[in-house]
Amino acid sequence: MKGKMKAINILIGSVVLGAMLLSACSDKEKKEAAVQVKSTVKYTCPMHPQILEDHPGSCPICGMTLVKKSGQASEGAGISLNTVLQPVNSSVISNINAIVPEQKEVPTEILASGYLDFDSRTFNNIASRFSGRIEKLYIKYAFQEIHRGQRIFDIYSPDIVTAQQDLIYLTKNSAQETGLINAAKQKLLLQGMTDEQVNQVIKTGKPFYSLPVYSQYDGHVHDMPHSQMAGAATTEPPSDLTDNLPLAIKEGMYVEKGQNLFNVVNPHMLWAIIKIDRLAAGGLKLNQAVKITLRDAPGRAIVAKVNFIEPALRDGDKTISIRIYLDNMDHSLKVNSFVKAEIQIGQVSGIWIPHAAVIDLGKTKVVWLKRGASFQARQVITGTVNGNEVQITKGLATTDSLAANAQYLTDSESFIKTKGDE
């Protein structure tokens, strides 16, 4: 009897356990079904459809509120959260077209523009060797042509008159004091008088009260800036030779010893100042052939060479200046004329990419390398620029893939600040 009761209890326990298991399985199936139904509801960003989440929230890229999207996740939803949360100053998610650098040899030339200016190597200043008053001025206007030995003005100087009177006194009363006489003569010569004028003073016994001054140079006269007229002597040429057409020096004006009065420029020697993009300057060398055309003279071309490459950059200027020396014996070239230059720099072999794929941040140049679904910034060193292509000398290989338009991706202020300050 006891054995039968025990068997019945075991049977009842088995039935209860089976019922519990069936109930648990049923609950699990219901939950899985609920999860499956729930998983069909996704949340995405209106601006970045590649972002898909299974819960509400904010876009990890732009911060916009996610909205519901029905259906299965697209291929772009496989992007990991770590990828989209990378800093915007080093990585960007985009579907922009990618390109591959090319290893090739390119015949290159530099196209640039500039203007004509006076060759400052020909600048010569005419300064007053003594203080005094301008009695007579023979130069009447700016750009007037003068020649060596031409009389340019007469000046009255009390100091020179006194020095002449000392010489006259010594020659009349102390003719045996040859040392003193020679010293007095030398003083006048050093102050600007000629041998002929000094001998005339000795011969006539009369000083020059109005002393003529002669030019030592050939060229065109340019007025000195007013800032130099009123100050001390300076060896710097005028910054702008065309500002002051009326001469600042007038008859009756007093001038100081050492004061610059005029600048004499040789109009037969000019130079073309050409502005070259810094990206193209890497292939530039001295003595390279240059073809110059003038807007004022269509059809005319001047063949010259690169004579000077400025070694310094100017603040705020993204170009480098070069100088090309030109002869202007027939005066056909005019200062400040606009010119264009073509500089042939030969065949350049290397890795080339489109110019748009590089962005210049001042101190550094950057491209965007493709890494899966995102682009990462990389610093590169550029060489020659040829039209819409730029040579990469360091930082890229032909196996790399990069964004075709670097400017399109570089829209973050924090990126520019971070990269530019490195």
Side-chain angles (χ1 to χ4, degrees), residues 12-99:
I12 294 173
S14 299
V15 172
V16 172
L17 180 60
M20 292 176 64
L21 290 174
L22 288 174
S23 177
C25 290
S26 177
D27 291 343
K28 184 177 180 181
E29 290 177 358
K30 290 180 180 180
K31 290 180 179 179
E32 288 179 352
V35 170
Q36 185 174 0
V37 171
K38 184 178 180 181
S39 64
T40 61
V41 179
K42 295 292 184 180
Y43 296 85
T44 185
C45 175
M47 297 300 295
H48 301 90
Q50 71 270 26
I51 302 301
L52 293 174
E53 298 289 350
D54 56 3
H55 55 80
S58 300
C59 176
I61 298 178
C62 63
M64 292 184 65
T65 302
L66 299 180
V67 297
K68 288 184 178 181
K69 178 180 179 181
S70 300
Q72 296 299 318
S74 64
E75 184 181 352
I79 302 172
S80 67
L81 187 61
N82 290 333
T83 299
V84 300
L85 290 181
Q86 290 185 23
V88 295
N89 61 3
S90 63
S91 180
V92 174
I93 298 175
S94 176
N95 58 359
I96 190 173
N97 292 335
I99 61 168

Coordinates of all heavy atoms in Angstrom, one line a residue, residues 12-99:
I12 N 2.3 12.4 -9.7 CA 1.7 13.7 -9.6 C 2.8 14.8 -9.7 O 2.7 15.8 -10.4 CB 1.0 13.9 -8.3 CG1 -0.3 13.0 -8.3 CG2 0.6 15.3 -8.0 CD1 -1.0 12.9 -6.9
G13 N 4.0 14.6 -9.1 CA 5.1 15.5 -9.2 C 5.6 15.7 -10.6 O 5.9 16.8 -11.0
S14 N 5.6 14.6 -11.3 CA 6.1 14.7 -12.7 C 5.1 15.5 -13.6 O 5.5 16.3 -14.4 CB 6.2 13.3 -13.3 OG 7.2 12.5 -12.6
V15 N 3.8 15.3 -13.3 CA 2.8 16.1 -14.1 C 3.0 17.6 -13.8 O 2.9 18.4 -14.7 CB 1.4 15.6 -13.7 CG1 0.4 16.5 -14.4 CG2 1.2 14.1 -14.2
V16 N 3.1 17.9 -12.5 CA 3.2 19.3 -12.1 C 4.5 19.9 -12.7 O 4.5 21.0 -13.2 CB 3.3 19.4 -10.6 CG1 3.6 20.9 -10.2 CG2 1.9 19.0 -10.0
L17 N 5.6 19.2 -12.7 CA 6.9 19.7 -13.2 C 6.8 19.9 -14.7 O 7.2 20.9 -15.3 CB 8.0 18.7 -12.9 CG 9.4 19.1 -13.4 CD1 9.8 20.4 -12.8 CD2 10.4 18.0 -13.1
G18 N 6.1 18.9 -15.4 CA 5.9 19.1 -16.8 C 5.1 20.3 -17.2 O 5.3 21.0 -18.1
A19 N 4.0 20.5 -16.3 CA 3.2 21.7 -16.6 C 4.0 23.0 -16.4 O 3.8 23.9 -17.2 CB 2.0 21.7 -15.6
M20 N 4.8 23.0 -15.4 CA 5.7 24.2 -15.1 C 6.6 24.4 -16.3 O 6.8 25.6 -16.7 CB 6.4 24.1 -13.8 CG 5.5 24.1 -12.6 SD 6.5 23.8 -11.1 CE 7.5 25.2 -11.1
L21 N 7.2 23.4 -16.8 CA 8.2 23.5 -17.9 C 7.4 24.0 -19.2 O 8.0 24.9 -19.9 CB 8.8 22.2 -18.2 CG 9.9 21.7 -17.1 CD1 10.3 20.3 -17.5 CD2 11.0 22.7 -17.1
L22 N 6.3 23.4 -19.4 CA 5.5 23.9 -20.6 C 5.1 25.4 -20.5 O 5.2 26.1 -21.4 CB 4.2 23.1 -20.7 CG 4.4 21.6 -21.2 CD1 3.1 20.8 -21.2 CD2 5.0 21.6 -22.6
S23 N 4.8 25.8 -19.2 CA 4.5 27.2 -19.0 C 5.7 28.1 -19.2 O 5.6 29.2 -19.8 CB 3.9 27.4 -17.6 OG 3.7 28.7 -17.3
A24 N 6.8 27.7 -18.7 CA 8.1 28.5 -18.9 C 8.4 28.6 -20.4 O 8.8 29.7 -20.9 CB 9.2 27.8 -18.1
C25 N 8.3 27.5 -21.1 CA 8.6 27.5 -22.5 C 7.7 28.5 -23.3 O 8.1 29.2 -24.2 CB 8.6 26.1 -23.1 SG 9.9 25.0 -22.6
S26 N 6.4 28.4 -22.9 CA 5.4 29.3 -23.5 C 5.8 30.7 -23.3 O 5.7 31.6 -24.2 CB 4.1 28.9 -23.0 OG 3.1 29.8 -23.6
D27 N 6.1 31.1 -22.0 CA 6.5 32.4 -21.6 C 7.7 32.9 -22.4 O 7.8 34.0 -22.9 CB 6.8 32.6 -20.1 CG 5.5 32.4 -19.3 OD1 4.4 32.5 -19.9 OD2 5.6 32.2 -18.1
K28 N 8.7 32.0 -22.6 CA 9.9 32.3 -23.3 C 9.6 32.6 -24.8 O 10.1 33.6 -25.4 CB 10.9 31.2 -23.2 CG 12.3 31.5 -23.9 CD 13.3 30.4 -23.7 CE 14.6 30.7 -24.3 NZ 15.6 29.6 -24.2
E29 N 8.8 31.8 -25.4 CA 8.4 32.0 -26.8 C 7.7 33.3 -26.9 O 7.9 34.1 -27.9 CB 7.5 30.9 -27.2 CG 8.3 29.5 -27.4 CD 7.4 28.4 -27.8 OE1 6.2 28.7 -27.9 OE2 7.9 27.3 -28.0
K30 N 6.8 33.6 -25.9 CA 6.1 34.9 -26.0 C 7.1 36.1 -25.9 O 7.0 37.1 -26.7 CB 5.1 35.0 -24.9 CG 3.9 34.1 -25.1 CD 2.9 34.2 -23.9 CE 1.8 33.2 -24.1 NZ 0.8 33.4 -23.0
K31 N 8.1 36.0 -25.0 CA 9.1 37.1 -24.9 C 9.9 37.2 -26.1 O 10.2 38.3 -26.6 CB 10.0 36.8 -23.6 CG 9.2 37.0 -22.3 CD 10.2 36.7 -21.2 CE 9.5 36.9 -19.8 NZ 10.4 36.6 -18.7
E32 N 10.4 36.1 -26.7 CA 11.2 36.2 -27.9 C 10.4 36.8 -29.0 O 10.9 37.6 -29.8 CB 11.6 34.8 -28.3 CG 12.7 34.2 -27.3 CD 13.1 32.8 -27.7 OE1 12.4 32.2 -28.6 OE2 14.1 32.3 -27.2
A33 N 9.1 36.4 -29.1 CA 8.2 37.0 -30.1 C 8.1 38.5 -29.9 O 8.1 39.3 -30.9 CB 6.9 36.3 -30.1
A34 N 8.0 38.9 -28.6 CA 7.9 40.3 -28.3 C 9.1 41.1 -28.7 O 9.1 42.2 -29.3 CB 7.5 40.5 -26.8
V35 N 10.3 40.4 -28.4 CA 11.6 41.1 -28.7 C 11.7 41.2 -30.2 O 12.2 42.2 -30.8 CB 12.7 40.2 -28.1 CG1 14.1 40.7 -28.7 CG2 12.7 40.4 -26.6
Q36 N 11.3 40.1 -30.9 CA 11.4 40.1 -32.4 C 10.5 41.2 -33.0 O 10.9 41.9 -33.9 CB 11.0 38.8 -32.9 CG 11.2 38.7 -34.5 CD 10.9 37.3 -34.9 OE1 10.6 36.4 -34.2 NE2 11.1 37.1 -36.2
V37 N 9.3 41.4 -32.4 CA 8.5 42.5 -32.9 C 9.1 43.8 -32.6 O 9.1 44.7 -33.4 CB 7.1 42.3 -32.2 CG1 6.2 43.6 -32.5 CG2 6.4 41.1 -32.7
K38 N 9.7 43.9 -31.3 CA 10.3 45.2 -30.9 C 11.5 45.5 -31.8 O 11.7 46.7 -32.1 CB 10.7 45.1 -29.5 CG 11.2 46.4 -28.9 CD 11.5 46.3 -27.5 CE 12.1 47.6 -26.9 NZ 12.4 47.6 -25.5
S39 N 12.2 44.5 -32.2 CA 13.5 44.7 -33.0 C 13.2 45.3 -34.4 O 14.0 45.8 -35.0 CB 14.3 43.4 -33.1 OG 13.6 42.5 -33.8
T40 N 11.9 45.1 -34.8 CA 11.6 45.7 -36.1 C 11.4 47.2 -36.1 O 11.4 47.8 -37.2 CB 10.3 45.0 -36.7 OG1 9.2 45.3 -35.8 CG2 10.5 43.5 -36.8
V41 N 11.4 47.8 -34.9 CA 11.3 49.2 -34.8 C 12.7 49.8 -34.6 O 13.3 49.5 -33.6 CB 10.3 49.6 -33.6 CG1 10.2 51.1 -33.5 CG2 9.0 49.0 -33.9
K42 N 13.1 50.6 -35.5 CA 14.5 51.2 -35.4 C 14.3 52.7 -35.3 O 13.3 53.3 -35.8 CB 15.3 50.8 -36.6 CG 15.7 49.4 -36.7 CD 16.6 48.9 -35.6 CE 17.0 47.5 -35.7 NZ 17.9 47.0 -34.6
Y43 N 15.4 53.4 -34.8 CA 15.4 54.8 -34.7 C 16.6 55.3 -35.5 O 17.7 54.8 -35.3 CB 15.5 55.2 -33.2 CG 14.3 54.8 -32.4 CD1 14.2 53.6 -31.8 CD2 13.3 55.8 -32.2 CE1 13.1 53.2 -31.1 CE2 12.2 55.4 -31.4 CZ 12.1 54.2 -30.9 OH 11.0 53.8 -30.1
T44 N 16.4 56.4 -36.3 CA 17.4 56.9 -37.1 C 17.5 58.4 -37.0 O 16.5 59.0 -36.6 CB 17.2 56.4 -38.6 OG1 18.4 56.9 -39.4 CG2 16.0 57.1 -39.2
C45 N 18.6 59.0 -37.5 CA 18.7 60.5 -37.6 C 18.3 61.0 -38.9 O 18.6 60.5 -40.0 CB 20.2 60.8 -37.3 SG 20.5 62.6 -37.5
P46 N 17.4 62.0 -38.9 CA 17.0 62.6 -40.2 C 18.1 63.1 -41.1 O 18.0 63.1 -42.3 CB 16.1 63.8 -39.8 CG 15.7 63.5 -38.4 CD 16.8 62.7 -37.8
M47 N 19.3 63.6 -40.4 CA 20.4 64.1 -41.2 C 21.4 63.0 -41.5 O 22.2 63.2 -42.4 CB 21.0 65.2 -40.4 CG 20.1 66.4 -40.2 SD 19.6 67.1 -41.7 CE 21.1 67.7 -42.4
H48 N 21.5 62.0 -40.7 CA 22.5 60.9 -40.9 C 21.8 59.5 -40.9 O 21.7 58.9 -39.9 CB 23.5 60.9 -39.8 CG 24.3 62.3 -39.8 ND1 23.9 63.3 -39.0 CD2 25.4 62.7 -40.4 CE1 24.7 64.3 -39.2 NE2 25.6 64.0 -40.0
P49 N 21.2 59.1 -42.1 CA 20.4 57.9 -42.1 C 21.2 56.7 -41.8 O 20.6 55.6 -41.6 CB 19.9 57.9 -43.6 CG 20.8 58.8 -44.3 CD 21.2 59.8 -43.4
Q50 N 22.5 56.8 -41.9 CA 23.3 55.6 -41.6 C 23.3 55.2 -40.1 O 23.7 54.1 -39.7 CB 24.8 55.8 -42.0 CG 25.6 56.7 -41.2 CD 25.5 58.2 -41.8 OE1 24.5 58.5 -42.4 NE2 26.5 59.0 -41.5
I51 N 22.8 56.1 -39.2 CA 22.7 55.8 -37.8 C 21.4 55.1 -37.5 O 20.3 55.7 -37.8 CB 22.8 57.2 -37.0 CG1 24.1 57.9 -37.3 CG2 22.7 56.9 -35.5 CD1 25.3 57.1 -37.0
L52 N 21.4 53.9 -37.0 CA 20.3 53.1 -36.7 C 20.4 52.6 -35.2 O 21.4 52.0 -34.9 CB 20.1 52.0 -37.6 CG 19.7 52.3 -39.1 CD1 19.7 51.1 -39.9 CD2 18.4 53.0 -39.1
E53 N 19.4 52.9 -34.4 CA 19.5 52.4 -33.0 C 18.1 51.8 -32.7 O 17.1 52.0 -33.4 CB 19.6 53.6 -32.0 CG 21.0 54.4 -32.2 CD 22.2 53.6 -31.8 OE1 21.9 52.5 -31.1 OE2 23.3 54.0 -32.0
D54 N 18.1 50.8 -31.7 CA 16.9 50.1 -31.3 C 16.2 50.8 -30.1 O 15.3 50.2 -29.5 CB 17.2 48.7 -31.0 CG 18.2 48.5 -29.9 OD1 18.7 49.6 -29.4 OD2 18.6 47.4 -29.6
H55 N 16.6 52.0 -29.8 CA 16.0 52.7 -28.7 C 16.0 54.2 -29.0 O 16.8 54.7 -29.8 CB 16.7 52.4 -27.4 CG 18.2 52.8 -27.5 ND1 18.7 54.0 -27.4 CD2 19.2 51.9 -27.7 CE1 20.0 54.0 -27.5 NE2 20.4 52.8 -27.7
P56 N 15.1 55.0 -28.5 CA 15.1 56.5 -28.7 C 16.4 57.1 -28.1 O 17.1 56.5 -27.3 CB 13.9 57.0 -28.0 CG 13.1 55.8 -27.6 CD 14.0 54.6 -27.6
G57 N 16.7 58.3 -28.6 CA 17.9 59.0 -28.1 C 18.3 60.1 -29.1 O 17.5 60.7 -29.8
S58 N 19.6 60.5 -29.0 CA 20.1 61.6 -29.9 C 21.2 61.0 -30.8 O 21.8 60.0 -30.6 CB 20.8 62.7 -29.0 OG 19.8 63.2 -28.1
C59 N 21.3 61.7 -32.0 CA 22.3 61.3 -33.0 C 23.7 61.5 -32.4 O 24.0 62.6 -31.9 CB 22.1 62.1 -34.3 SG 23.4 61.8 -35.5
P60 N 24.6 60.6 -32.5 CA 25.9 60.7 -31.9 C 26.8 61.7 -32.8 O 27.9 62.0 -32.4 CB 26.5 59.3 -31.9 CG 25.7 58.6 -32.9 CD 24.4 59.2 -32.9
I61 N 26.3 62.0 -34.0 CA 27.1 62.9 -34.9 C 26.7 64.3 -34.7 O 27.5 65.2 -34.4 CB 27.0 62.5 -36.3 CG1 27.5 61.0 -36.5 CG2 27.7 63.4 -37.3 CD1 27.4 60.5 -37.9
C62 N 25.4 64.6 -34.9 CA 24.9 66.0 -34.9 C 24.1 66.3 -33.6 O 23.8 67.5 -33.4 CB 24.2 66.3 -36.1 SG 22.6 65.3 -36.3
G63 N 23.7 65.3 -32.9 CA 22.9 65.6 -31.6 C 21.4 65.7 -31.9 O 20.7 66.0 -30.9
M64 N 20.9 65.5 -33.1 CA 19.5 65.6 -33.3 C 18.7 64.5 -32.7 O 19.3 63.4 -32.5 CB 19.2 65.7 -34.8 CG 19.7 67.0 -35.5 SD 19.2 67.0 -37.3 CE 17.4 67.1 -37.1
T65 N 17.4 64.6 -32.4 CA 16.6 63.6 -31.8 C 16.3 62.5 -32.8 O 15.9 62.8 -34.0 CB 15.3 64.1 -31.3 OG1 15.6 65.1 -30.3 CG2 14.5 63.1 -30.6
L66 N 16.5 61.2 -32.5 CA 16.3 60.1 -33.4 C 14.8 59.9 -33.6 O 14.0 60.2 -32.7 CB 16.9 58.8 -32.8 CG 18.4 58.9 -32.6 CD1 18.9 57.5 -32.1 CD2 19.2 59.2 -33.9
V67 N 14.4 59.5 -34.8 CA 13.0 59.3 -35.1 C 12.8 57.8 -35.5 O 13.8 57.1 -35.9 CB 12.5 60.2 -36.3 CG1 12.6 61.6 -35.8 CG2 13.4 60.0 -37.5
K68 N 11.6 57.3 -35.4 CA 11.3 55.9 -35.7 C 11.5 55.6 -37.2 O 11.2 56.4 -38.1 CB 9.9 55.5 -35.3 CG 9.8 55.4 -33.8 CD 8.4 54.9 -33.4 CE 8.2 54.8 -31.9 NZ 6.8 54.2 -31.6
K69 N 12.0 54.4 -37.5 CA 12.1 54.0 -38.8 C 11.8 52.5 -38.9 O 12.4 51.7 -38.2 CB 13.6 54.1 -39.4 CG 13.8 53.6 -40.8 CD 15.2 53.8 -41.3 CE 15.4 53.3 -42.7 NZ 16.7 53.5 -43.2
S70 N 10.8 52.1 -39.7 CA 10.3 50.7 -39.7 C 11.2 50.0 -40.7 O 11.8 50.5 -41.6 CB 8.8 50.7 -40.2 OG 8.0 51.4 -39.2
G71 N 11.2 48.6 -40.6 CA 11.9 47.8 -41.5 C 13.3 47.4 -40.9 O 13.7 47.8 -39.8
Q72 N 14.0 46.6 -41.7 CA 15.3 46.1 -41.2 C 16.4 47.1 -41.4 O 16.2 48.0 -42.3 CB 15.6 44.8 -42.0 CG 14.7 43.6 -41.8 CD 14.7 43.2 -40.3 OE1 15.7 43.1 -39.7 NE2 13.5 42.9 -39.8
A73 N 17.4 47.0 -40.7 CA 18.5 47.9 -40.8 C 19.2 47.8 -42.1 O 19.3 46.7 -42.6 CB 19.5 47.7 -39.6
S74 N 19.6 49.0 -42.6 CA 20.4 49.0 -43.9 C 21.8 48.6 -43.6 O 22.3 48.4 -42.5 CB 20.3 50.4 -44.5 OG 21.0 51.3 -43.7
E75 N 22.6 48.4 -44.7 CA 24.0 48.1 -44.6 C 24.8 49.1 -43.9 O 25.7 48.7 -43.1 CB 24.5 47.9 -46.0 CG 26.0 47.4 -46.1 CD 26.5 47.3 -47.5 OE1 25.7 47.4 -48.4 OE2 27.7 47.0 -47.6
G76 N 24.4 50.3 -44.0 CA 25.2 51.4 -43.3 C 25.0 51.3 -41.8 O 25.8 51.9 -41.0
A77 N 24.0 50.5 -41.3 CA 23.8 50.5 -39.8 C 24.9 49.6 -39.1 O 24.9 49.6 -37.9 CB 22.4 49.9 -39.5
G78 N 25.7 49.0 -39.9 CA 26.8 48.2 -39.3 C 27.9 49.0 -38.7 O 28.9 48.4 -38.2
I79 N 27.8 50.3 -38.8 CA 28.9 51.2 -38.2 C 28.9 51.1 -36.7 O 27.8 51.3 -36.1 CB 28.7 52.6 -38.7 CG1 28.7 52.7 -40.2 CG2 29.8 53.5 -38.1 CD1 28.3 54.0 -40.8
S80 N 30.0 50.9 -36.1 CA 30.1 50.8 -34.7 C 29.9 52.1 -34.0 O 30.3 53.2 -34.6 CB 31.4 50.1 -34.3 OG 32.5 51.0 -34.6
L81 N 29.5 52.1 -32.8 CA 29.3 53.4 -32.0 C 30.7 54.0 -31.8 O 30.8 55.3 -31.8 CB 28.6 53.1 -30.7 CG 28.3 54.3 -29.8 CD1 27.3 55.2 -30.6 CD2 27.6 53.9 -28.5
N82 N 31.7 53.2 -31.6 CA 33.1 53.8 -31.4 C 33.5 54.6 -32.6 O 34.2 55.6 -32.5 CB 34.1 52.7 -31.1 CG 33.9 52.1 -29.8 OD1 33.4 52.7 -28.9 ND2 34.3 50.8 -29.6
T83 N 33.1 54.1 -33.8 CA 33.5 54.9 -35.1 C 32.8 56.2 -35.1 O 33.4 57.2 -35.4 CB 33.1 54.0 -36.3 OG1 33.8 52.8 -36.2 CG2 33.4 54.8 -37.6
V84 N 31.5 56.3 -34.9 CA 30.8 57.5 -35.0 C 31.1 58.5 -33.9 O 30.8 59.7 -34.0 CB 29.3 57.3 -35.1 CG1 28.9 56.4 -36.3 CG2 28.7 56.7 -33.8
L85 N 31.6 58.0 -32.8 CA 32.0 58.9 -31.7 C 33.4 59.4 -31.7 O 33.8 60.1 -30.8 CB 31.7 58.2 -30.3 CG 30.2 57.9 -30.0 CD1 30.1 57.2 -28.7 CD2 29.4 59.2 -30.0
Q86 N 34.1 59.1 -32.8 CA 35.5 59.6 -32.9 C 35.4 61.1 -33.0 O 34.5 61.6 -33.6 CB 36.2 59.0 -34.1 CG 36.5 57.5 -33.9 CD 37.3 57.0 -35.1 OE1 38.0 57.7 -35.8 NE2 37.3 55.7 -35.3
P87 N 36.5 61.8 -32.5 CA 36.5 63.3 -32.6 C 36.4 63.8 -34.0 O 37.0 63.2 -34.9 CB 37.8 63.7 -32.0 CG 38.2 62.5 -31.1 CD 37.7 61.3 -31.8
V88 N 35.6 64.9 -34.2 CA 35.4 65.4 -35.6 C 36.7 66.1 -36.1 O 36.8 66.4 -37.3 CB 34.3 66.5 -35.6 CG1 33.0 65.8 -35.3 CG2 34.6 67.6 -34.6
N89 N 37.7 66.3 -35.3 CA 38.9 66.9 -35.8 C 39.9 65.9 -36.2 O 41.0 66.2 -36.5 CB 39.5 67.8 -34.7 CG 39.9 67.1 -33.5 OD1 39.8 65.9 -33.4 ND2 40.4 67.8 -32.5
S90 N 39.5 64.6 -36.2 CA 40.4 63.6 -36.7 C 39.7 62.5 -37.6 O 40.4 61.8 -38.4 CB 41.1 62.9 -35.6 OG 40.2 62.2 -34.8
S91 N 38.4 62.4 -37.6 CA 37.7 61.4 -38.3 C 36.3 62.0 -38.7 O 35.7 62.7 -37.9 CB 37.6 60.1 -37.5 OG 36.9 59.2 -38.3
V92 N 35.9 61.6 -39.9 CA 34.6 62.1 -40.4 C 33.9 60.9 -41.2 O 34.6 60.2 -41.9 CB 34.7 63.3 -41.4 CG1 33.4 63.6 -42.0 CG2 35.3 64.5 -40.6
I93 N 32.6 60.7 -40.9 CA 31.9 59.7 -41.6 C 31.2 60.4 -42.8 O 30.5 61.4 -42.7 CB 30.8 59.0 -40.7 CG1 31.5 58.3 -39.6 CG2 29.9 58.1 -41.5 CD1 30.5 57.8 -38.6
S94 N 31.4 59.8 -44.0 CA 30.9 60.4 -45.2 C 30.9 59.4 -46.3 O 31.6 58.4 -46.3 CB 31.7 61.6 -45.6 OG 31.2 62.2 -46.9
N95 N 30.0 59.6 -47.3 CA 29.9 58.7 -48.5 C 30.5 59.5 -49.7 O 30.1 59.2 -50.9 CB 28.5 58.2 -48.8 CG 27.5 59.4 -48.9 OD1 27.9 60.6 -48.8 ND2 26.3 59.1 -49.2
I96 N 31.4 60.4 -49.5 CA 32.0 61.2 -50.6 C 32.8 60.3 -51.4 O 33.4 59.3 -50.9 CB 32.8 62.4 -50.0 CG1 33.2 63.3 -51.1 CG2 34.0 61.9 -49.2 CD1 33.9 64.6 -50.6
N97 N 33.0 60.6 -52.7 CA 33.8 59.8 -53.6 C 35.2 59.7 -53.2 O 35.8 60.7 -52.7 CB 33.7 60.4 -55.0 CG 32.3 60.3 -55.6 OD1 31.6 59.4 -55.2 ND2 32.0 61.1 -56.6
A98 N 35.8 58.6 -53.3 CA 37.2 58.4 -53.0 C 38.0 58.2 -54.2 O 37.5 57.7 -55.3 CB 37.4 57.1 -52.0
I99 N 39.3 58.5 -54.2 CA 40.2 58.4 -55.3 C 41.5 57.7 -54.8 O 41.7 57.5 -53.6 CB 40.6 59.8 -55.9 CG1 41.3 60.6 -54.8 CG2 39.4 60.5 -56.5 CD1 41.9 61.9 -55.4

